[in-house]
């Protein structure tokens, strides 16, 4: 079996495949990066080491004797759909949702207005991260009410000393240490009860050293309707933050509700964000009231969700940003299954759900695979991919290569008194991974 | 800090939480499931899946259920009936399988049918 992408979805798929005993399998994990773990490595906030510890479980999957890690092998680059279908009995696409969603408002592409994706990739040390962020504005606005918005706001707000021990690359720590950002606004287009923040993540803000959390009076008001436990808990927190911030804090995070962005203004770079007040209409849909407000903003980060990218040759639902599928079986435009092709994770469901959600999701896909493949003896065992890779001059980063990268990062961190410091340079990662040239 | 399972799970045990735990640290007793506080990474995946909202973050446990925090831990640190040693941190519920026993407090809870 080939699994495309070694993030949580790909790894849980591999795990389910080698755990079931109805079909004898070996799994190749084809990952475009030289390293495994996907967004656990390049998304999960660096100041959340406890959640990052999930890599211990994920590493066990990478090390399974019937699983093979092949890093630096990208679908659509090193290998394509035909190659995989020729060399494997089945393929599972688990390449995640790496693109960002836009706001669709004027001025969005001005300098100083970025997707949260870019900021997260930068502070996580992703080898494809764009230019470094210069944090020289006082006011930052984060648009969105999901956990990613919270991660971004927290990283902006935390004093550099509180991030010093994380695995962030040194240049990132240096940039954060001289950050001039003091006022961070989290802009929520609906009410406090509609936020998608996990209560535990929200509560963590209360514990930030030197950071005041604030909600303007009268704004943490729900729009009506029944509340579930999370909504109630979040609402209670927002109410507890209502009022003026305590004096003497270094930075403030302000939550604004019932406001949506309508225009980004400023040349040559962002100076303000125009927002419009919103409410729910009789049908429960969000509408603007026409009433506008200007928020000062030298940095705008939009955290309004991720989006999957099409894989060449594989049926794609452009509206939802996922591979067309039925429960994990890839299907064509007409809804007919494409034999031997499957999908798991964010590329299957869209960009929501936590790490563990992908375990259940992978189990669903693997159950269908086993059901489909158990009677099908035609395709068993195409020629191994190794000869083809050699022919194309591709030498993958193997488990040993990944172990060397891992050890080098731990060593780099140790010298600075940290558990790990990420290596961000493609060439260096490949060299450590044992890729010649 | 950890997540834990309250008595709402007793005799429900539909295992929805188990399917989403990325580190497989939710273990099955005879009448209820238990989260291993040493192995849990606080990811909150299980909390959203439970149909009876039995899963709590320890800091949010309501007063009347505060006993469940220590009771969850006890499932791993105390010797359960019929066993020779405490369960400890076995590093994966799938390998262990159903444990077939409960903490004394849970074992003694009335069955739903008994009122
Ligand atoms: C910023 C952020 C923070 C998060 N924090 C948390 C958290 O604290 N706790 C939590 O539980 N969840 C968190 N999540 C959610 C969690 O990361 C996701 O649920 C999970 O990573 C999705 O898994 P996936 O495998 O589908 O995608 P990904 O993790 O994105 O993995 C996809 C993998 O496929 C690879 N790939 C992409 N294209 C190709 C290609 N063409 N060929 C080969 N390989 C390819 C990628 O390099 C990547 O390794 C966070 C998400 C984000 C965005
Ligand atoms: N610590 C953690 O556990 C953790 C950390 C990070 C991420 N994650 C998970 O990863 C997944 C992705 O997180 P996410 O934050 O990217 O997504 P998300 O939870 O789906 O949140 C996206 C947010 O953007 C808002 N939004 C969308 N379009 C908008 C627009 N045009 N203008 C203003 N707001 C807009 C949405 O508001 P509406 O509700 O109004 O649509 C929503 O609040 C989630 O499942 C999350 O829980 C978990
Ligand atoms: S919080 Fe996460 S790690 Fe802890 S028990 Fe729940 S799913 Fe498992
Ligand atoms: S989901 Fe809830 S009821 Fe079901 S087993 Fe888990 S804790 Fe018990």
């Amino acid at each position: 079996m080939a699994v495309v992408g070694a993030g949580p979805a790909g790894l849980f798929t591999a795990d389910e495949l080698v755990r079931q005993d109805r079909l004898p399998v070996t799994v190749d994990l084809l990952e475009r990066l030289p390293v495994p773990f996907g967004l656990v490595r390049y998304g999960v906030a660096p100041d959340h080491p406890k959640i990052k510890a999930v890599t211990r479980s994920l590493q066990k999957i990478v090390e399974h004797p019937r699983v093979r890690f092949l890093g630096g092998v990208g679908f659509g680059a090193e290998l394509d759909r035909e190659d995989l279908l020729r060399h494997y009995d089945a393929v599972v696409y688990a390449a995640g949702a790496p693109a960002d969603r836009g706001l669709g408002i004027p001025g969005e592409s001005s300098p100083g207005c970025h997707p949260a994706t870019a900021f997260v990739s930068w502070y996580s040390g992703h080898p494809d991260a764009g230019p470094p962020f210069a944090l020289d504005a006082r006011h930052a606005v984060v648009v969105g009410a999901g956990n990613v918005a919270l991660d971004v706001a927290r990283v902006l707000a935390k004093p550099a000393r509180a991030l010093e021990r994380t695995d962030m690359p040194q240049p990132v720590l240096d940039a954060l240490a001289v950050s001039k950002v003091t006022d961070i606004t989290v802009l929520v287009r609906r009410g406090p009860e509609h936020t998608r923040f996990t209560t535990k993540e929200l509560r963590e803000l209360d514990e930030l050293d030197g950071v005041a959390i604030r909600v303007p009076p009268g704004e943490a008001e729900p729009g009506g309707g029944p509340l579930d436990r999370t909504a109630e808990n979040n609402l209670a927190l927002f109410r507890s933050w209502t009022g003026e911030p305590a004096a003497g804090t270094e930075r403030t995070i302000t939550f604004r509700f019932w406001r949506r962005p309508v225009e980004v203004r400023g040349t040559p770079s962002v100076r303000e964000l125009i927002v419009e007040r919103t409410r729910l209409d009789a049908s429960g849909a969000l509408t603007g009231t026409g009433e506008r407000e200007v928020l000062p903003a030298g940095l705008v980060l939009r955290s309004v969700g991720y989006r999957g990218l099409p894989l060449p040759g594989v049926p794609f639902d452009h509206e939802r940003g996922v591979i067309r599928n039925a429960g994990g079986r890839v299907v064509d435009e007409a809804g007919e299954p494409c034999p031997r092709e499957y999908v798991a994770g964010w590329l299957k469901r869209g960009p929501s759900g936590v790490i563990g959600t992908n375990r259940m999701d992978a189990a669903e896909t693997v159950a269908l695979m086993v059901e489909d493949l158990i009677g099908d003896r035609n395709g068993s065992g195409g020629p191994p991919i190794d000869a083809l890779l050699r022919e194309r001059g591709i030498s993958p980063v193997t488990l040993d290569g990944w172990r060397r990268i891992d050890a080098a990062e731990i060593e780099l961190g140790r010298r600075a008194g940290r558990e790990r410091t990420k290596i961000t340079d493609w060439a260096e990662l490949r060299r450590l991974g044992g890729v010649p040239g | 800090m950890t997540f834990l399972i309250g008595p709402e799970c007793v005799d429900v045990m539909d295992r929805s939480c188990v399917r989403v735990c990325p580190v497989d640290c939710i273990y099955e007793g005879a009448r209820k499931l238990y989260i291993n506080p040493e192995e849990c990474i606080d990811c909150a995946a299980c909390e959203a899946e439970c149909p009876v909202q039995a899963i709590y973050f320890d800091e949010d446990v309501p007063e009347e259920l505060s006993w469940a925090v220590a009771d969850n831990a006890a499932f791993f640190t105390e010797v359960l009936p019929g066993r020779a040693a405490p369960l400890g941190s076995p590093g994966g519920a799938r390998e262990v399988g159903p444990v077939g026993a409960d903490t004394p407090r849970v074992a003694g809870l009335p069955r739903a049918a008994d009122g």
Side-chain angles (χ1 to χ4, degrees):
Chain A
M1 310 281 165
V3 173
V4 176
L11 292 169
F12 288 130
T13 299
D15 190 42
E16 293 292 335
L17 280 169
V18 296
R19 274 176 193 269
Q20 57 76 36
D21 53 10
R22 298 173 62 201
L23 206 63
V25 293
T26 58
V27 180
D28 277 357
L29 286 165
L30 309 172
E31 166 60 55
R32 66 176 284 272
L33 297 175
V35 295
F37 306 150
L39 283 170
V40 172
R41 190 176 147 97
Y42 293 120
V44 172
D47 60 337
H48 282 166
K50 204 166 174 189
I51 291 179
K52 290 251 186 206
V54 73
T55 53
R56 267 186 265 143
S57 306
L58 298 178
Q59 178 71 18
K60 283 193 209 155
I61 303 173
V62 179
E63 289 183 358
H64 191 281
R66 284 189 284 133
V67 173
R68 198 160 67 135
F69 176 71
L70 300 175
V73 181
F75 183 96
E78 282 73 20
L79 295 175
D80 63 21
R81 177 170 175 269
E82 269 171 39
D83 298 330
L84 297 192
L85 289 174
R86 192 169 328 118
H87 289 268
Y88 295 96
D89 288 340
V91 182
V92 185
Y93 304 110
D100 66 282
R101 277 181 199 279
L103 295 169
I105 61 171
E108 196 176 351
S109 50
S110 344
C113 180
H114 309 268
T117 333
F119 188 64
V120 171
S121 292
W122 172 68
Y123 70 59
S124 305
H126 195 293
D128 291 336
F133 277 76
L135 302 169
D136 43 20
R138 200 154 75 81
H139 296 274
V141 178
V142 181
V143 181
N147 286 322
V148 173
L150 221 48
D151 280 350
V152 164
R154 194 182 63 251
V155 168
L156 283 172
K158 263 197 178 178
R161 59 178 183 277
L163 296 168
E164 187 50 43
R165 304 295 293 268
T166 67
D167 66 6
M168 288 181 181
Q170 193 59 47
V172 173
L173 288 168
D174 294 343
L176 290 169
V178 297
S179 165
K180 296 202 178 67
V181 176
T182 52
D183 294 87
I184 299 136
T185 300
V186 178
L187 190 71
V188 179
R189 67 173 170 181
R190 296 192 287 157
E193 78 278 30
H194 302 120
T195 54
R196 304 205 195 157
F197 308 131
T198 305
T199 308
K200 183 183 145 280
E201 305 289 312
L202 203 54
R203 164 131 357 105
E204 186 186 342
L205 298 182
D206 255 340
E207 280 140 41
L208 300 188
D209 193 20
V211 181
I213 314 297
R214 176 176 170 263
V215 176
E219 229 168 89
E221 289 309 320
L227 304 183
D228 67 13
R229 191 165 94 188
T230 305
E232 266 179 31
N233 289 343
N234 286 2
L235 186 60
L237 273 171
F238 291 126
R239 291 207 164 127
S240 76
W241 290 327
T242 295
E244 291 304 311
T249 53
E250 297 163 57
R251 289 178 174 143
T252 309
I253 298 179
T254 307
F255 287 91
R256 303 297 308 270
F257 298 100
W258 300 110
R259 277 156 179 83
R260 69 179 176 197
V262 290
E263 188 182 346
V264 180
R265 279 200 198 147
T267 40
S269 98
V270 177
R271 297 176 63 86
E272 52 198 29
L273 181 69
I274 316 295
V275 303
E276 181 188 22
R277 297 201 50 173
T278 58
R279 59 178 178 82
L280 297 182
D281 67 15
S283 71
L286 188 75
T287 67
T289 65
E291 193 184 332
R292 295 192 170 200
E293 197 177 317
V294 178
L295 302 182
L299 175 67
V300 175
L301 295 173
R302 53 175 194 271
S303 178
V304 296
Y306 285 61
R307 197 165 43 83
L309 292 175
L311 295 177
V314 187
F316 195 73
D317 178 341
H318 288 270
E319 207 157 297
R320 294 185 51 220
V322 298
I323 286 185
R324 283 181 192 278
N325 74 93
R329 283 187 182 112
V330 177
V331 299
D332 64 16
E333 303 260 330
E336 290 300 316
C338 302
R340 304 195 288 128
E341 292 179 274
Y342 300 86
V343 59
W346 276 18
L347 193 51
K348 165 183 168 185
R349 309 189 308 276
S352 72
V354 287
I355 298 163
T357 319
N358 303 293
R359 180 175 159 193
M360 180 168 68
D361 181 287
E364 182 192 47
T365 294
V366 169
L368 293 177
M369 289 178 77
V370 172
E371 194 180 299
D372 292 351
L373 298 171
I374 205 144
D376 173 20
R377 287 267 147 250
N378 308 335
S380 42
I385 201 81
D386 307 55
L388 179 70
L389 290 173
R390 253 194 318 274
E391 205 177 287
R392 294 193 184 157
I394 301 158
S395 44
V397 176
T398 59
L399 175 59
D400 280 337
W402 156 235
R403 284 190 177 132
R404 279 193 298 274
I405 295 171
D406 191 40
E409 289 189 339
I410 292 170
E411 173 57 22
L412 193 62
R414 195 191 56 79
R415 280 187 248 144
R418 304 171 188 145
E419 255 179 54
R420 170 190 302 273
T421 293
K422 290 243 190 81
I423 295 169
T424 61
D425 180 44
W426 263 104
E428 177 68 357
L429 289 169
R430 292 159 83 113
R431 189 188 64 75
L432 285 163
V435 181
Chain B
M1 288 188 305
T2 182
F3 280 79
L4 61 105
I5 297 180
E8 297 90 334
C9 174
V10 170
D11 301 333
V12 180
M13 296 185 47
D14 72 312
R15 311 180 83 250
S16 306
C17 53
V18 176
R19 288 189 273 271
V20 298
C21 178
V23 295
D24 200 25
C25 70
I26 309 181
Y27 294 76
E28 189 174 338
R31 296 183 60 194
K32 146 180 197 299
L33 282 81
Y34 302 80
I35 293 175
N36 186 315
E38 295 293 320
E39 295 175 354
C40 171
I41 60 165
D42 291 352
C43 76
C46 53
E47 189 188 19
E49 297 297 322
C50 179
V52 295
Q53 306 208 355
I55 305 183
Y56 298 87
F57 187 53
D58 54 7
E59 293 177 16
D60 293 333
V61 174
E63 187 60 39
E64 68 276 15
L65 295 182
S66 57
W67 60 271
V69 180
D71 188 72
N72 245 263
F75 186 78
F76 302 94
T77 55
E78 305 285 311
V79 180
L80 298 171
R83 298 184 73 94
L87 208 49
S89 295
R94 282 211 244 194
E95 276 73 23
V96 172
V99 175
D102 286 299
T103 58
R105 173 128 192 194
V106 168
L109 288 172
R111 300 217 161 245
D114 306 343

